[in-house]
Amino acid sequence: QGAANPCSTSINWFAVSSAYLTPGPGGFFAEQANANRVLARERQEQVQCQLAVAQERAIEAAQASQESATESPSGAVQPESDTGANVGVNMRCVGIYSRAWDNCVGTVHYINGNVYDGEFHHGLRSGYGVLVINAIGRSYASNIMARVPSIYIGEFGDNRMNGDGIIFEEQSHFAIEGTFVDNLPSAPHDEVNCDSNASPATWDECFGVVRYPNGNVYFGQLKNGERSGLGFIKILARGVTTAQNIATTTPGFYVGQFRGGLMNGRGVMLTQASGVFGRFVDNRFAGR
């Protein structure tokens, strides 16, 4: 089906970017889901050809993976030359997902509908990342699901949600936070949402969503009205990141630690073509 020569089909990045930039119900994560669907359509024919060429490697990766059959990876975004991370390095994983991905930042679409963006080490999700959870059901050690479409931001280890994290619903933004072990909260968690009827300047020790005049949107922990702790920022501002402004050359995001309102601590920055992971100081990548 599709084009006679699908491997020669180019991805329409304008269509993908438009999906990110078009507001819609559900906020950023609905936009991200739309962009993922557009990207999936754009890549479908290309991926089919690529997977045929790399069939043996894909089978080997699926067999070696600790994920269940419903979470076998179906591919990843191809990197291009881009300086969206505002640094002289690019740690973007190369090609379609394989067990060879190591010390890089990549994107994987799973056949259960989930989408992961973040760090890979030794072929496994490890470090900081964002998982869009579209699979509906109850999570267990080998498959990540949720009762409604949700987002997990935080730490991964051994291919699973392991470490500090926040999981929240796409539409309601109802959130829980804490330590996760093998895809599950380690203890009962209470709602941690900030009071939507109060000014964001008063939000303290809670999870909130803040939209900024430059188009950026923050989802994460706040303290004394500032971004502080674990958070995720959708970057729509174009330009160069400074201590006063978070911007990239193409749409992207950062997930990781914040302090004093700035990206400070360990985290991941990923754009359509570039990625880095490691330490950030006052919004700037400072190395691994």
Side-chain angles (χ1 to χ4, degrees):
Q1 296 181 355
N5 184 14
C7 284
S8 66
T9 302
S10 298
I11 295 174
N12 185 348
W13 286 111
F14 177 78
V16 177
S17 298
S18 297
Y20 273 103
L21 298 173
T22 303
F28 162 60
F29 297 109
E31 298 164 19
Q32 184 179 35
N34 288 338
N36 287 333
R37 284 191 287 271
V38 172
L39 179 58
R41 287 199 304 269
E42 292 292 330
R43 296 191 62 255
Q44 183 176 11
E45 294 180 350
Q46 186 182 56
V47 169
Q48 292 304 315
C49 179
Q50 293 169 336
L51 289 180
V53 175
Q55 184 176 17
E56 292 185 3
R57 185 176 67 179
I59 292 173
E60 180 183 355
Q63 290 174 341
S65 175
Q66 294 187 14
E67 296 291 323
S68 68
T70 58
E71 285 225 347
S72 297
S74 62
V77 176
Q78 293 286 346
E80 298 173 351
S81 108
D82 189 298
T83 57
N86 303 145
V87 292
V89 295
N90 187 353
M91 301 176 185
R92 202 64 153 94
C93 301
V94 177
I96 297 173
Y97 168 78
S98 79
R99 295 283 291 186
W101 277 10
D102 187 30
N103 294 327
C104 62
V105 183
T107 300
V108 177
H109 295 250
Y110 299 95
I111 60 175
N112 65 357
N114 294 349
V115 182
Y116 173 78
D117 294 277
E119 288 182 63
F120 282 88
H121 298 276
H122 304 293
L124 302 177
R125 296 179 300 215
S126 181
Y128 278 102
V130 180
L131 183 70
V132 178
I133 306 171
N134 291 315
I136 303 303
R138 183 183 295 273
S139 283
Y140 49 97
S142 58
N143 197 20
I144 301 173
M145 298 184 284
R147 67 183 187 90
V148 296
S150 300
I151 307 297
Y152 172 85
I153 62 175
E155 293 182 298
F156 287 78
D158 196 27
N159 230 25
R160 301 169 180 169
M161 290 155 38
N162 274 312
D164 292 335
I166 302 172
I167 189 168
F168 54 99
E169 298 175 359
E170 282 189 12
Q171 295 193 9
S172 70
H173 297 156
F174 175 85
I176 60 173
E177 61 185 40
T179 302
F180 288 74
V181 177
D182 291 342
N183 297 332
L184 300 173
S186 62
H189 290 66
D190 296 324
E191 179 182 357
V192 294
N193 293 77
C194 301
D195 183 0
S196 60
N197 295 318
S199 167
T202 67
W203 289 352
D204 189 35
E205 302 290 348
C206 59
F207 169 88
V209 180
V210 183
R211 297 179 182 272
Y212 301 96
N214 64 0
N216 293 347
V217 186
Y218 174 76
F219 302 80
Q221 296 173 327
L222 295 108
K223 184 175 182 179
N224 297 323
E226 286 188 326
R227 297 181 299 235
S228 183
L230 177 61
F232 170 85
I233 187 163
K234 172 191 176 183
I235 307 170
L236 291 180
R238 302 283 70 84
V240 176
T241 290
T242 66
Q244 292 75 38
N245 187 48
I246 299 174
T248 49
T249 59
T250 60
F253 70 82
Y254 166 88
V255 58
Q257 294 297 319
F258 288 80
R259 187 178 68 253
L262 307 178
M263 300 185 303
N264 273 307
R266 196 172 183 283
V268 171
M269 180 178 281
L270 185 67
T271 70
Q272 291 173 347
S274 298
V276 291
F277 69 89
R279 295 183 301 108
F280 287 76
V281 176
D282 292 345
N283 288 343
R284 289 301 193 95
F285 178 66
R288 291 177 56 186

